[in-house]
């Protein structure tokens, strides 16, 4: 068999070799004259890292878990092997000190009481909660107040609180922000989600007002994901940066069904209340209901690490400035006791973690004028904690950081004709991204309203908040091969998102992932070689931090 096949294989490779080499030689000469060459992101290392990082051996790369520690060691060792320079003195690590908080519902007596009767609800299935202030025990006999969306936004002429004192109360509120109306189609970004619609904002606002706690009413539509995502997140250990602004005594979610039960037991109509909350004349409503009992939680301190490695720039002056590529290495780790307990997070975000390693290998072969940092951040799933810590204690001055290009959940389906650069339009990165796309025969994906507030939900937002032009490069949707089948695959993934079933499949076509990471590297290279660092578009509130 082998003897028969060998000659034809050689003949084939010879036939292929000649035209490829001659074409390559000609274009290489041309490329040298225009700009230096960006090395190719290879599929083999990308696939190898992805398969390993998402394997059960890495136990879902959980924060505060063995799999997370192993991931940090792996990234550190790979950075060393690639010859990247440590970004933190002689270390690749940046300490991220966090508090781990896990509710202990079976040791707690806390319940929702309306009309002298406790609601028959179950932790996980009907509601989830945890202390936002990292304290192990809280007693409640506390009034509930419905505050609509819980938003106070002077520039939208909107205030759900109307000056009412909510100190020491539990605030029941809706997810998302006020929906556009016929008269006012543009309020709160139209159909797009603004930062006011994020639960992080709502928790922060409640703390500013001295509230005792927050219970968010979940609906699939307003959250843009199902209750199972809330349940998985809510029953797992939760984390917050140590020493950072703390949350209130209790923070949690109730299912829509629980909300209906609560409001009707308190003699109120949830739907009527919701309708009232869509109007700017809404006023908070005290419910004939209380949160009662003791809420207990287990608290521990966890040391996590960002991993940061640098490819130094080649220009004597520009090398003092940096382009940062980031991807979060963590996922949900090991959870529960029965069934599949490992949340592998193959797409989210072993793909981005592996992508950065493959890109770093290529960047080493052909550095840019500016330096390039490869930054794997910790604890994204816990609320962008690693990137928030980095922005607060940057390893490279932020005013010398040209851009942050983030990768989270890459294309595992196949090559596309387009690439998504949503959020790039806020800065000059948008125009550069368009040029790079064109050079790769890619079109920019048609812009869609940001319904789920994607711009505020990934690590680039920590950089944007600190004034660094930043966005996440998203996979395209216009698949070249079998577009219908590809769409089905994308749809099926939405059911595996944040579930134990987000697992690697060796049959995945990674050409789209190679394309997406190559685009990101080419874009970073364009920024890295440009005469000037990109600026924010005039008037963007996020650009203020940069102007200072
Ligand atoms: Zn992610």
């Amino acid at each position: 068999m082998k003897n028969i096949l060998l000659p034809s294989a050689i003949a084939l490779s010879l036939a292929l070799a000649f035209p490829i080499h001659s074409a390559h030689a000609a274009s290489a000469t041309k490329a040298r004259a225009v700009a230096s060459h960006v090395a190719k992101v290879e599929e083999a290392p990308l696939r190898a890292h992805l398969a390993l990082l998402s394997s059960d051996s890495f136990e879902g790369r959980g924060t505060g878990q063995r799999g997370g520690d192993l991931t940090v060691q792996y990234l550190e060792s790979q950075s060393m092997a690639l010859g990247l320079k440590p970004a933190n003195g002689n270390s690749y690590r940046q300490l991220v000190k966090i508090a781990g908080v896990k509710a202990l519902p079976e040791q707690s007596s806390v319940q929702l009481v309306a009309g002298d009767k406790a609601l028959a609800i179950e932790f996980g299935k009907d509601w989830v909660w945890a202390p936002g202030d990292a304290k192990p025990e809280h007693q409640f006999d506390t009034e509930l107040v419905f505050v609509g969306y819980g938003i106070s936004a002077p520039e939208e002429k909107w205030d759900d609180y109307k000056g009412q004192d909510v100190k020491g109360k539990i605030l029941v509120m809706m997810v998302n922000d006020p929906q556009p109306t016929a008269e006012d189609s543009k309020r709160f970004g139209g159909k797009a989600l603004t930062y006011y619609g994020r639960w992080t904002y709502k928790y922060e606002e409640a703390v500013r007002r001295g509230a005792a706690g927050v219970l968010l009413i979940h609906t699939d539509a307003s959250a843009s994901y199902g209750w199972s995502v809330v349940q998985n997140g809510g029953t797992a250990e939760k984390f917050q940066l140590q020493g950072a602004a703390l949350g209130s005594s209790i923070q949690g979610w109730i299912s829509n069904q629980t909300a209906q039960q609560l409001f009707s037991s308190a003699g109120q109509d949830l739907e009527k209340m919701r309708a009232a909350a869509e109007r700017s004349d809404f006023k908070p409503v005290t419910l004939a209901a209380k949160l009662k009992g003791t809420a207990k939680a287990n608290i521990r301190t966890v040391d996590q690490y960002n991993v940061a490695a640098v490819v130094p720039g080649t220009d004597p002056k520009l090398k003092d400035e940096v382009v940062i590529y980031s991807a979060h290495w963590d996922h949900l780790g090991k959870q529960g006791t029965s069934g599949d307990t490992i949340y592998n997070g193959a797409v989210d975000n072993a793909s981005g973690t592996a992508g950065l390693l493959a890109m770093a290998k290529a960047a080493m072969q052909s550095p840019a004028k500016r330096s390039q940092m490869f930054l794997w951040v910790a604890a994204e799933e816990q609320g962008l904690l690693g990137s928030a810590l980095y922005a607060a204690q940057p390893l490279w001055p932020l005013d010398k950081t040209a851009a942050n290009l983030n990768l989270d959940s890459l294309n595992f389906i196949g090559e596309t004709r387009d690439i998504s650069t949503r959020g790039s339009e806020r800065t000059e990165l948008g125009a550069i991204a368009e040029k790079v796309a064109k050079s790769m025969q890619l079109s920019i994906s048609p812009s869609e309203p940001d319904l789920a507030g994607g711009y505020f939900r990934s690590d680039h937002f920590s950089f944007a908040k600190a004034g660094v032009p930043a966005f996440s490069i998203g996979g395209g949707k216009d698949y070249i091969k079998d577009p219908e089948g590809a769409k089905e695959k994308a749809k099926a993934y939405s059911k595996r998102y944040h579930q134990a079933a987000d697992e690697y499949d060796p049959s995945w076509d990674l050409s789209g992932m190679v394309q997406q990471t190559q685009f990101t590297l080419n874009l970073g290279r364009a920024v890295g070689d440009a005469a000037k660092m990109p600026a924010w578009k005039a008037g963007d509130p996020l650009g203020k931090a940069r102007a200072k």
Side-chain angles (χ1 to χ4, degrees):
M1 282 280 279
K2 273 176 191 162
N3 285 340
I4 296 165
L5 276 176
L6 197 56
S8 65
I10 289 169
L12 181 65
S13 68
L14 281 176
L16 283 171
F18 181 71
I20 284 176
H21 281 182
S22 59
H24 188 258
S27 70
T29 320
K30 204 173 146 203
R32 259 197 302 276
V34 183
S36 41
H37 181 67
V38 184
K40 287 255 175 309
V41 177
E42 296 164 69
E43 180 175 326
L46 181 52
R47 188 180 287 278
H49 295 307
L50 169 60
L52 186 68
L53 287 163
S54 61
S55 69
D56 281 358
S57 307
F58 279 72
E59 296 176 354
R61 307 178 305 285
T63 296
Q65 296 184 357
R66 178 189 166 276
D69 297 345
L70 192 56
T71 306
V72 167
Q73 282 184 354
Y74 183 70
L75 293 170
E76 196 175 36
S77 132
Q78 290 299 320
S79 295
M80 215 179 285
L82 287 171
L84 302 171
K85 274 185 69 177
N88 192 11
N90 55 12
S91 173
Y92 292 102
R93 296 184 181 212
Q94 176 179 40
L95 179 62
V96 184
K97 259 198 171 323
I98 52 191
V101 177
K102 190 170 188 330
L104 297 169
E106 56 294 327
Q107 295 174 33
S108 303
S109 60
V110 70
Q111 49 192 0
L112 289 169
V113 179
D116 289 335
K117 263 176 75 184
L119 265 58
I121 53 172
E122 208 181 294
F123 187 88
K125 190 172 139 280
D126 305 303
W127 72 331
V128 295
W129 49 259
D133 56 0
K135 295 215 175 96
E137 190 172 329
H138 287 287
Q139 296 273 2
F140 297 99
D141 184 8
T142 315
E143 239 171 19
L144 303 183
V145 181
F146 177 64
V147 293
Y149 283 107
I151 292 173
S152 178
E155 71 276 23
E156 296 274 354
K157 298 192 177 56
W158 190 280
D159 180 18
D160 284 324
Y161 292 93
K162 301 290 187 304
Q164 191 162 316
D165 185 7
V166 294
K167 209 170 189 166
K169 312 278 182 183
I170 304 286
L171 309 182
V172 179
M173 56 177 95
M174 287 147 65
V175 181
N176 214 304
D177 55 22
Q179 297 304 295
T181 59
E183 305 84 64
D184 192 354
S185 62
K186 293 214 174 95
R187 70 181 195 183
F188 290 93
K191 281 208 165 300
L193 185 69
T194 65
Y195 188 55
Y196 294 112
R198 290 282 296 143
W199 51 266
T200 46
Y201 162 79
K202 293 167 195 274
Y203 285 175
E204 288 159 11
E205 188 59 32
V207 170
R208 284 191 280 271
R209 290 171 186 269
V214 177
L215 291 173
L216 297 163
I217 304 170
H218 171 86
T219 65
D220 290 6
S222 62
S224 80
Y225 41 77
W227 176 256
S228 65
V229 172
V230 178
Q231 186 170 351
N232 288 335
T235 50
E237 190 177 29
K238 256 181 276 302
F239 298 90
Q240 54 190 64
L241 282 180
Q242 265 189 1
L246 294 171
S248 48
S249 306
I250 191 163
Q251 295 175 166
W253 299 70
I254 56 177
S255 70
N256 192 46
Q257 216 182 345
T258 305
Q260 276 164 348
Q261 215 181 322
L262 172 68
F263 279 64
S264 70
S265 308
Q268 296 280 1
D269 181 337
L270 176 61
E271 291 319 313
K272 272 196 188 138
M273 293 275 224
R274 273 195 175 121
E278 293 294 340
R279 296 168 49 104
S280 61
D281 61 0
F282 168 84
K283 285 197 193 77
V285 179
T286 300
L287 299 174
K290 277 184 163 184
L291 184 77
K292 278 191 178 179
T294 310
K296 290 191 180 180
N298 190 49
I299 311 292
R300 64 179 179 134
T301 323
V302 189
D303 284 353
Q304 295 292 280
Y305 296 93
N306 292 333
V307 179
V310 173
V311 177
T314 54
D315 184 273
K317 268 179 98 176
L318 294 180
K319 72 173 179 9
D320 292 342
E321 295 173 352
V322 73
V323 175
I324 300 181
Y325 307 97
S326 59
H328 71 88
W329 60 253
D330 67 301
H331 192 54
L332 302 173
K334 273 181 100 165
Q335 286 181 39
T337 47
S338 61
D340 185 355
T341 56
I342 298 177
Y343 286 65
N344 303 73
V347 173
D348 184 11
N349 186 28
S351 64
T353 306
L356 244 57
L357 281 171
M359 285 160 60
K361 182 172 186 244
M364 278 300 282
Q365 292 161 15
S366 170
K369 289 180 181 170
R370 286 189 175 81
S371 297
Q372 296 173 87
M373 184 191 291
F374 294 83
L375 175 64
W376 292 272
V377 291
E380 184 269 358
E381 304 287 8
Q382 315 302 332
L384 316 183
L385 300 184
S387 57
L389 185 279
Y390 180 93
Q393 296 167 24
L395 297 174
W396 203 288
L398 289 175
D399 61 359
K400 288 193 186 307
T401 302
N404 166 243
L405 305 176
N406 186 60
L407 289 171
D408 191 348
S409 302
L410 305 188
N411 173 358
F412 63 97
I413 294 171
E415 250 182 308
T416 55
R417 293 184 188 87
D418 63 331
I419 191 92
S420 167
T421 60
R422 189 169 67 188
S424 70
E425 72 285 351
R426 288 170 172 261
T427 68
E428 289 174 352
L429 285 177
I432 307 171
E434 262 177 61
K435 262 191 206 158
V436 171
K438 218 176 195 176
S439 75
M440 294 177 69
Q441 281 93 46
L442 283 166
S443 64
I444 302 291
S445 309
S447 74
E448 287 167 19
D450 191 359
L451 298 183
Y455 193 73
F456 317 115
R457 284 167 61 172
S458 219
D459 288 304
H460 67 258
F461 187 58
S462 297
F463 285 89
K465 262 203 215 166
V468 176
F471 74 102
S472 291
I473 291 83
K477 285 192 176 148
D478 185 4
Y479 298 99
I480 295 170
K481 266 192 253 165
D482 184 21
E484 284 313 309
K487 261 177 214 149
E488 281 307 311
K489 279 183 193 164
K491 217 168 123 194
Y493 177 70
S494 65
K495 292 210 179 73
R496 302 205 302 276
Y497 170 72
H498 279 208
Q499 306 297 324
D502 181 1
E503 289 174 339
Y504 171 67
D505 179 342
S507 76
W508 279 350
D509 172 356
L510 295 190
S511 58
M513 206 175 280
V514 170
Q515 189 181 40
Q516 189 177 358
T517 47
Q518 186 75 62
F519 173 81
T520 307
L521 186 65
N522 291 8
L523 174 57
R525 178 60 180 273
V527 174
D529 287 346
K532 280 193 345 204
M533 300 203 302
W536 287 86
K537 296 268 177 72
D540 193 308
L542 292 170
K544 277 184 217 152
R546 190 68 150 191
K548 272 185 223 158

